[in-house]
Amino acid sequence: MRKYLFRGVVAVVAMAAVTIAVSCTDDGNDGASGGNGNGGAVKYELSDVVKVFGFDGQNRYAYCPSVMATDDMTHMWFCGNPDENVFVDNIYHVTVASDGTVSAPVSVLQPGGPGEWDSQHVCDPSVVRGEFAYDGHTYSYAMFYLGSSLECYYNEIGVAFADDPDATEWVKYDRQLVSKTWTGDGDQDLGNGAVSWGVGQPSAFSVDGRGGIILTYTVGDRDGTRVVWSQCDLSDMSAPSVGAPRKLVTEGFWNLSGNPDYTRNMDFVYDPVKSTVYAVRPLNPCPASYPSYIGNAIEVASITYTNFKNGFGGWARMLRVDSSATGFPRTHNAALERDGYGQLFSDRTLDVYYTVSKASPDVEPSDGMHAEWTYDIYRGTMNLE
């Protein structure tokens, strides 16, 4: 199953090959205001574009990466399905050597058992280093992820732990870290057959090298779709602290129609030297043609850390990535290269990882022809100098 967030609802391609076609809207009434609709000039270009990973020759998908660079190699976690033609999300891990050699993919996190909160899907990883005490052991890495207990909606956020980024098994925290925004065991009905999406698509970076975390995530409910952030202390998981969510500032975000844009599905990296936060996000609206539930462009932008936390000021556009750069009609589910703590790895370059997809008429929502089977992960470099 694929889950994509729009305005409090989700487009789904179910295992029975039934599509709920919900397009991204372009009214942009979930955030920014004012401005001239262009967000300023894009000053950077994407170079050295290469394919990183795909399940070549198989009806399987690889998308939504989380990337951790080290001096020796790059670690990448992403969403993938174990069995061909079956829409079930696992979280996979690969390493990429300096010569581009990619290790064999390993499923390191799977859905929980029957009755567990994440029994259907686990997806959208975000990995960060720190010190996290859980069940008598202090772990060095936390993986935040989206989990789902229902086939289509009802998304929530969990966290799992490991001692090493190469871990083939991660120890799950025994409950949701961030629950959906409504009470009760059922979906939140929005009327006209629509239900709320929940919370998910987490991205986290460390603020103290230990248990202090800024956790960002997407919310989709009766109040619309938006990205929020919380100040967290996960140093002692017997009493984790997750602060009240604060809506991300959206000033400076414009959609493809030139209107103020709303936010969803973002990844972040923090530069403590320049006190700057970089973000990558999808641009709305999505195309009308199949697959109408993913976009055709992403954008990299920056804001001062002070403005990020205080909710004022605006984002500066840096880079737009679309078919002219990728050669594919869809560009979506992106991530930024980070170090282990979610901070900028290089002060000279920023690598952008993104998912590509084919579109109609090359794909269609039918057996063996789904767009998802064309999802591969690519990388390009943005020079910061």
Side-chain angles (χ1 to χ4, degrees):
M1 184 184 73
R2 321 290 341 117
K3 290 186 263 185
Y4 298 97
L5 182 60
F6 306 124
R7 308 283 280 192
V9 295
V10 64
V12 176
V13 181
M15 293 172 62
V18 177
T19 301
I20 302 174
V22 183
S23 297
C24 303
T25 61
D26 65 354
D27 57 1
N29 62 7
D30 274 2
S33 59
N36 60 10
N38 60 24
V42 175
K43 300 179 181 180
Y44 298 86
E45 296 182 353
L46 197 69
S47 62
D48 301 323
V49 172
V50 295
K51 180 178 177 178
V52 180
F53 181 81
F55 289 107
D56 296 337
Q58 304 176 63
N59 282 355
R60 300 171 67 187
Y61 47 79
Y63 79 115
C64 197
S66 175
V67 181
M68 178 189 297
T70 71
D71 291 335
D72 300 322
M73 67 180 65
T74 299
H75 295 270
M76 185 174 76
W77 298 265
F78 61 92
C79 293
N81 58 318
D83 301 316
E84 286 197 70
N85 298 300
V86 178
F87 291 97
V88 171
D89 288 348
N90 281 208
I91 293 175
Y92 282 81
H93 172 257
V94 296
T95 58
V96 184
S98 58
D99 63 359
T101 302
V102 180
S103 66
V106 177
S107 173
V108 298
L109 200 74
Q110 304 82 35
E116 296 186 21
W117 74 272
D118 59 353
S119 59
Q120 291 293 326
H121 302 276
V122 293
C123 191
D124 299 344
S126 182
V127 177
V128 65
R129 187 173 182 177
E131 297 174 5
F132 312 100
Y134 179 54
D135 198 21
H137 183 80
T138 299
Y139 294 93
S140 298
Y141 293 88
M143 176 192 291
F144 301 88
Y145 66 97
L146 174 152
S148 174
S149 62
L150 298 181
E151 182 58 36
C152 295
Y153 309 102
Y154 214 81
N155 301 304
E156 298 180 288
I157 295 171
V159 63
F161 303 102
D163 290 321
D164 190 274
D166 286 314
T168 58
E169 295 183 5
W170 289 67
V171 178
K172 292 180 181 179
Y173 181 53
D174 61 3
R175 64 189 74 103
Q176 304 94 317
L177 185 69
V178 182
S179 300
K180 57 186 175 53
T181 58
W182 63 93
T183 60
D185 293 331
D187 286 321
Q188 183 181 53
D189 187 3
L190 298 176
N192 297 318
V195 299
S196 287
W197 184 83
V199 298
Q201 299 171 339
S203 176
F205 59 86
S206 175
V207 294
D208 63 4
R210 298 185 296 276
I213 298 291
I214 295 291
L215 176 64
T216 68
Y217 56 94
T218 306
V219 181
D221 59 15
R222 283 182 180 153
D223 294 326
T225 299
R226 69 272 187 195
V227 170
V228 301
W229 66 271
S230 293
Q231 186 93 39
C232 303
D233 185 352
L234 305 185
S235 56
D236 181 2
M237 290 303 295
S238 68
S241 173
V242 179
R246 300 177 61 181
K247 188 176 179 181
L248 182 74
V249 60
T250 57
E251 185 72 32
F253 287 152
W254 302 91
N255 68 18
L256 293 170
S257 301
N259 298 315
D261 212 352
Y262 65 97
T263 53
R264 59 184 175 92
N265 199 10
M266 298 177 67
D267 191 38
F268 298 84
V269 60
Y270 174 47
D271 180 357
V273 175
K274 296 181 179 179
S275 192
T276 296
V277 176
Y278 299 95
V280 62
R281 70 182 192 96
L283 291 169
N284 302 298
C286 296
S289 61
Y290 176 78
S292 60
Y293 42 84
I294 53 175
N296 59 358
I298 59 172
E299 180 179 82
V300 177
S302 65
I303 193 171
T304 68
Y305 184 56
T306 298
N307 287 355
F308 173 92
K309 294 199 69 177
N310 293 331
F312 57 74
W315 292 84
R317 296 174 61 211
M318 301 179 70
L319 173 75
R320 176 175 293 183
V321 183
D322 55 23
S323 60
S324 64
T326 69
F328 288 85
R330 298 289 189 274
T331 305
H332 60 105
N333 282 284
L336 298 176
E337 178 188 73
R338 299 131 50 97
D339 71 4
Y341 297 102
Q343 300 180 0
L344 194 67
F345 179 71
S346 168
D347 60 357
R348 297 181 178 180
T349 60
L350 179 58
D351 280 357
V352 183
Y353 288 70
Y354 54 88
T355 314
V356 301
S357 172
K358 294 182 179 179
S360 177
D362 296 321
V363 292
E364 61 184 45
S366 62
D367 288 347
M369 291 293 292
H370 290 292
E372 284 79 1
W373 312 145
T374 67
Y375 287 8
D376 293 326
I377 298 171
Y378 278 67
R379 180 191 72 232
T381 298
M382 183 174 68
N383 192 331
L384 296 176
E385 295 182 319

